[in-house]
Amino acid sequence: MTKIQFTDGAAYERYMGKWSQLAGGQFLDWLKPAPQQHWLDVGCGNGAFTQLIVDRCAPSAVIGVDPSAAQLLHARERFSPAIAQFHEGNAMALPLSDGVADVAVMPLVIFFVPVPERGVAEMVRVVRVGGLVTAYAWDMQGGGFTYVALQDDGISSATAPSPEASRADVLHRLWVDAGLGDVAVREFSVQRTFEAFADYWDTILGAPSAGPTLNGMPAETLDQLQSRLRDRLPADDRGRITYSARANAVRGVRFA
């Protein structure tokens, strides 16, 4: 199975950046973090969730880590170095010293980590005693509309290596097994509205998951898929398309 590649910060912003901020807002409402904390954003991508941290949490500083140099270039353009700094690196081997952060978060990332246990252990390592280790992830059990439509035709698209890590029970186990205390999980859903089917379709074509598969299809096959998606995503009287996505969140405290 082809792995998802994140190489275009602008395309990611249109596709997943907006979803990330919608889900991230609810996540931060649940987390209720204190101000003036030193944050670590693991798998920060183009800085979509980092932006929420800066806008809503009054951080003292934010460090973002991501393996994609192209995504980090986009992220660095969003912020002053005084508030946010970004480093290229792997979630399973963070390029940071022990105990440097008050809060570590993986926003929509843990299912991309080949060995999620190692990613959680690294967050625990770089968070100070008394700090928070957190994550939220799309519940990948159902898949999105485009993914399901591709499955109907027996077509495989790029996928994440650890989809089971998106489940609430698995997140809870990962956090408990990492030695974290006061572990809590939460499920929530968000809605996104596209101005028209064309807006939705153009966004999907730029997605790092389904996009490469769709762009490589014969025109006739692509037209048939597009028609089926129109049927599954009925528009309102203004032509807008709205649908929901479900996410699971987890948090825990490092006590030792």
Side-chain angles (χ1 to χ4, degrees):
M1 185 73 73
T2 303
K3 292 184 179 180
I4 298 172
Q5 301 290 323
F6 297 98
T7 57
D8 188 331
Y12 180 88
E13 179 70 14
R14 181 175 180 181
Y15 170 62
M16 192 53 70
K18 294 186 184 303
W19 279 114
S20 178
Q21 292 182 337
L22 288 168
Q26 289 197 36
F27 172 72
L28 290 175
D29 288 343
W30 174 64
L31 202 62
K32 294 183 174 63
Q36 294 303 301
Q37 300 284 289
H38 194 140
W39 284 72
L40 169 63
D41 184 353
V42 181
C44 63
N46 71 352
F49 185 76
T50 315
Q51 187 75 62
L52 276 182
I53 296 171
V54 171
D55 291 345
R56 298 185 51 166
C57 301
S60 59
V62 185
I63 296 175
V65 176
D66 197 89
S68 170
Q71 291 278 68
L72 291 174
L73 181 63
H74 193 90
R76 291 186 180 105
E77 292 174 350
R78 301 172 82 126
F79 304 100
S80 159
I83 188 64
Q85 297 184 5
F86 298 94
H87 304 281
E88 190 171 342
N90 190 308
M92 297 186 296
L94 293 169
L96 302 170
S97 301
D98 296 356
V100 297
D102 301 302
V103 184
V105 60
M106 273 190 183
L108 307 179
V109 167
I110 195 163
F111 37 68
F112 291 119
V113 181
V115 184
E117 293 84 353
R118 287 173 58 186
V120 180
E122 276 294 272
M123 286 199 292
V124 174
R125 178 183 67 79
V126 301
V127 165
R128 65 171 176 79
V129 174
L132 281 175
V133 177
T134 70
Y136 67 99
W138 298 125
D139 189 325
M140 301 186 73
Q141 297 306 298
F145 286 101
T146 308
Y147 177 76
V148 171
L150 289 171
Q151 280 189 321
D152 289 346
D153 284 346
I155 299 170
S156 297
S157 59
T159 188
S162 304
E164 71 284 348
S166 69
R167 288 169 25 199
D169 62 322
V170 175
L171 288 170
H172 187 275
R173 175 179 58 78
L174 286 168
W175 259 240
V176 171
D177 288 352
L180 293 159
D182 289 344
V183 177
V185 294
R186 169 79 178 270
E187 177 187 302
F188 54 90
S189 63
V190 295
Q191 285 189 329
R192 180 174 177 183
T193 298
F194 295 86
E195 290 304 311
F197 182 83
D199 181 21
Y200 167 79
W201 185 247
D202 288 346
T203 300
I204 293 300
L205 289 177
S209 51
T213 299
L214 296 175
N215 288 303
M217 283 182 172
E220 182 178 355
T221 304
L222 195 61
D223 288 344
Q224 292 171 356
L225 175 65
Q226 192 174 8
S227 178
R228 288 200 304 277
L229 283 171
R230 282 184 186 273
D231 292 339
R232 293 185 180 191
L233 295 167
D236 65 14
D237 56 5
R238 294 175 55 185
R240 299 174 303 181
I241 292 171
T242 298
Y243 70 93
S244 301
R246 186 175 65 195
N248 295 312
V250 62
R251 66 186 181 196
V253 179
R254 180 185 174 185
F255 285 135

